[in-house]
Amino acid sequence: MADSDLFTPYKMSKFDLSHRVVLAPMTRCRALGGIPRSAMAEYYAQRSTPGGFLISEGTMISDTAAGFPHVPGIYNEEQVRAWKKVVDSVHAKGSVIFCQLWHVGRASHQVYQPGGAAPLSSIDKPISQRWRILMPDGSHAIYPKPRALNHSDIQDMVEHYRQAAINAIRAGFDGIEIHGAHGYLIDQFLKDGINDRTDEYGGSIENRCRFIMQVVKAVAMAIGADRVGVRMSPAIDHLDAMDSDPPKLGLAVIERLNKLQLELGSRLAYLHVTQPRYVAYGQTESGRLGSEEEEAQLMRTWRRAYQGTFICSGGFTRELGMKAIADGDADLVSYGRLFIANPDLVLRFKINAPLNKYVRKTFYTQDPVVGYTDYPFLDSGKQKLSSRL
Ligand SMILES: Cc1cc2nc3c(=O)[nH]c(=O)nc-3n(C[C@H](O)[C@H](O)[C@H](O)COP(=O)(O)O)c2cc1C
């Protein structure tokens, strides 16, 4: 296998990337009160490289979208202005950055909702007690019963995505990623293990895909399809997001995205799919659903079906990433936890240097330095480095 596989240039829609190592979107809970702060500019700049591609942490499209403490928003002017500083710091280092648009749906709690209202979802059933929500004080609670969105709420929600995308472009982002994965709002429509609606947004695959497709189309028409990425995780059951036929569901979304691309006369920027081997993030080191070969087959089926740039994420090492690119299983590979702990992950991969270990307990804390911007670079002193290796 050529060592250069992750380091061959790639053209992703209008963007010339110099390598294939992407920063995966990761919630880090450092945006106090929903406003990005200067530590975030430093964090993202640390992970930027000339011709690199970064996807921001999940960013709230409206004031009902949060389900974690201190996640940033992109629905008011103060947030747009604050994001601009983050984006500028990334551009100054030569990277491309997309904003991940997020609504958690029922994966929320009254404490995160305006007026202490119930969270919103496709349905009115809560996430099971197998799962716990992280509260603002660091404790964990059970998920409350949500309120099912009615027809006009759904139209409003599509509009929130559209406006958030426009705001992201105004903040200087190069594009946006629609978070349709991991059991959050869009996934709450997609999966038949959750969605029991009896109207045109539930039941058949056609109906369950309706919401995501309305969102993708509205956003693509507002900012241009080539600035829009879509994330999905048909085979991941995070937050009870189970489906009776994940391969079929994944193909159904892909067919519709392919069709939309034809209709709009432009490809989307990419499709980003989370590998089944990455389950229960933030809970366990990693998990497995099927055998490695079954998973690889499933990802390959989706990859071949999708007409455009395909990004894989979930449990990738340097070697697995190299192999995915070399085997044609992905165009780009996004890295999460390794990138948290290694701001210079791209360089370390390039020279095959040892990696810092990530510290899980600071993933979602608010300190602007500890566990956030203080992971050492290769050149930041041998002593400091060796103590973490
Ligand atoms: C702390 C943390 C926060 C995450 N937040 C998000 C998020 O906001 N949006 C998202 O789509 N995925 C999120 N993920 C999933 C990552 O994007 C990625 O798919 C996952 O970490 C698997 O990749 P890895 O094995 O390289 O870490 C998060 C993961 C971690 C560890």
Side-chain angles (χ1 to χ4, degrees), residues 24-27 58 100 179 182 231 278 313-315 335-337 363-364:
M26 277 179 298
T27 294
Q100 191 188 49
H179 192 346
H182 306 163
R231 186 165 209 192
Y278 181 66
S313 181
Y335 289 89
R337 292 162 290 185
F363 278 179
Y364 303 114

Side-chain angles (χ1 to χ4, degrees), residues 98 175-179 225 227-231 268-272:
F98 276 31
I176 63 93
E177 175 176 293
I178 294 165
H179 192 346
R227 291 186 185 278
V228 177
V230 176
R231 186 165 209 192
L268 298 166
Y270 61 84
L271 176 64
H272 187 181

Side-chain angles (χ1 to χ4, degrees), residues 20 123 174 195 250 285 327:
R20 320 288 187 102
I123 56 158
D174 300 290
N195 184 346
E285 292 300 310
D327 293 350

Side-chain angles (χ1 to χ4, degrees), residues 45-294:
Q46 284 179 338
R47 285 154 185 80
S48 302
T49 47
F53 179 44
L54 277 53
I55 308 167
S56 83
E57 61 209 277
T59 300
M60 297 180 283
I61 60 158
S62 73
D63 62 358
T64 62
F68 277 81
H70 304 294
V71 290
I74 189 84
Y75 58 85
N76 69 35
E77 288 309 306
E78 195 181 355
Q79 293 158 349
V80 171
R81 273 196 305 276
W83 265 122
K84 189 154 194 340
K85 293 186 192 145
V86 178
V87 172
D88 287 349
S89 70
V90 170
H91 285 161
K93 292 281 201 79
S95 275
V96 171
I97 180 165
F98 276 31
C99 180
Q100 191 188 49
L101 301 187
W102 192 25
H103 194 299
V104 300
R106 66 177 184 162
S108 184
H109 190 278
Q110 289 91 335
V111 291
Y112 295 119
Q113 295 298 317
L120 304 171
S121 183
S122 58
I123 56 158
D124 62 6
K125 294 183 188 60
I127 293 170
S128 72
Q129 297 201 13
R130 214 181 120 209
W131 305 92
R132 291 283 189 278
I133 183 166
L134 177 63
M135 300 292 275
D137 65 0
S139 66
H140 289 84
I142 58 169
Y143 284 97
K145 185 173 151 61
R147 174 172 79 74
L149 294 167
N150 64 31
H151 252 231
S152 95
D153 298 326
I154 292 177
Q155 301 325 308
D156 290 349
M157 201 57 89
V158 173
E159 175 55 22
H160 288 314
Y161 278 98
R162 197 185 73 88
Q163 189 57 53
I166 292 170
N167 291 349
I169 299 301
R170 285 173 48 232
F173 281 103
D174 300 290
I176 63 93
E177 175 176 293
I178 294 165
H179 192 346
H182 306 163
Y184 297 110
L185 183 64
I186 290 176
D187 218 14
Q188 291 161 27
F189 278 88
L190 284 174
K191 301 278 174 71
D192 64 5
I194 299 177
N195 184 346
D196 62 0
R197 294 177 75 100
T198 51
D199 64 0
E200 70 258 41
Y201 288 95
S204 65
I205 281 208
E206 178 67 33
N207 286 354
R208 285 183 280 123
C209 289
R210 196 176 304 283
F211 181 57
I212 187 172
M213 293 313 299
Q214 286 181 343
V215 171
V216 178
K217 186 169 180 180
V219 167
M221 286 178 64
I223 65 167
D226 54 356
R227 291 186 185 278
V228 177
V230 176
R231 186 165 209 192
M232 67 170 191
S233 61
I236 287 190
D237 67 353
H238 187 239
L239 301 172
D240 296 340
M242 264 143 348
D243 194 81
S244 57
D245 195 343
K248 190 168 159 199
L249 177 64
L251 280 177
V253 174
I254 287 170
E255 275 164 22
R256 284 163 182 77
L257 294 177
N258 286 341
K259 227 165 103 189
L260 180 68
Q261 297 184 137
L262 283 178
E263 188 187 320
L264 297 176
S266 166
R267 286 200 169 164
L268 298 166
Y270 61 84
L271 176 64
H272 187 181
V273 182
T274 324
Q275 291 259 133
R277 73 167 158 243
Y278 181 66
V279 294
Y281 61 79
Q283 319 256 334
T284 58
E285 292 300 310
S286 63
R288 290 203 170 277
L289 275 188
S291 73
E292 212 160 320
E293 194 38 46
E294 276 164 2

